């Protein structure tokens, strides 16, 4: 149709390339939508777990159960800021493959939530959970955005796609913050570990994609690979 031809031209694709971008009869429009949904779900689920179970819950839990003061909490916040700088330099120096760095970061999200929420409560594990969460957030988004651009094609990542992808962690953060009071109430109980389920789902989904190459993290079809090499 005229609309599809126009869209294909805007994406710098010929008609055949646009219609079969993600494989036989898998158009660029459908493929890019599926990839966006997969990536958005992963980011949203990870942030939901981390914010509900760790970030928003840390201060209430540490104050209620261990009587911390604002000075002690400020020390942890300062340590987290320093750690974020160190992790940024370390990740830049290591130059890990994007897919494995993203999966490793997702596993850190899950480990952070489990470390924080597994009973009995421990000051050391609460702090460790926060630090793992900070590290995970720094490690995740650069490779995730790079993989997204590789799959779609860097010249075809529009402002709309980039904006929608960046909204996903914000939505997860908002939902996690809303759920945080329930997690604070369940702190120190095995029921509190249920907050790790969204992160577990995200990690399993990413692992399947890396292993089987289904749609989002899989190897690109030959047509798409040749287009990317041409770019």
């Amino acid at each position: 149709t005229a609309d599809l031809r126009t869209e294909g031209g805007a994406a710098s694709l010929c008609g055949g390339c646009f219609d079969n971008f993600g494989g036989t009869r898998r158009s660029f429009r459908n493929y890019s939508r599926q990839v966006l949904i997969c990536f958005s779900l992963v980011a949203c689920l990870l942030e939901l777990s981390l914010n509900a179970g760790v970030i928003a819950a840390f201060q209430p839990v540490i104050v209620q159960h261990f009587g911390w003061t604002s000075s002690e909490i400020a020390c942890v916040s300062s340590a987290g800021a320093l750690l974020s700088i160190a992790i940024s330099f370390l990740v830049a120096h290591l130059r890990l493959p994007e897919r494995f760095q993203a999966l490793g970061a997702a596993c850190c999200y899950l480990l952070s939530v489990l470390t924080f929420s597994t009973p009995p409560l421990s000051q050391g594990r609460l702090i460790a959970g926060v630090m793992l969460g900070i590290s995970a957030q720094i490690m995740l988004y650069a490779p995730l955005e790079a993989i997204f651009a590789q799959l779609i094609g860097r010249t075809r990542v529009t402002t709309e796609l980039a904006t929608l992808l960046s909204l996903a962690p914000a939505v997860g953060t908002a939902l996690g913050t809303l759920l945080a009071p329930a997690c604070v109430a369940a702190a120190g109980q095995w029921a509190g570990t249920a907050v790790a389920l969204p992160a577990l789902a995200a990690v399993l989904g990413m692992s399947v994609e890396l292993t089987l190459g289904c749609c989002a993290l899989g190897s690109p079809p030959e047509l798409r690979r040749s287009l990317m090499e041409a770019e």
Side-chain angles (χ1 to χ4, degrees), residues 106-118:
C107 290
C108 284
Y109 270 85
L110 178 60
L111 183 60
S112 169
V113 179
L114 290 175
T115 300
F116 190 97
S117 61
T118 301

Side-chain angles (χ1 to χ4, degrees), residues 86-112:
I87 291 294
S88 298
F89 280 111
L90 179 62
V91 169
H93 176 72
L94 292 177
R95 297 181 181 179
L96 298 173
E98 288 92 349
R99 299 182 183 190
F100 295 105
Q101 182 178 327
L103 181 58
C107 290
C108 284
Y109 270 85
L110 178 60
L111 183 60
S112 169

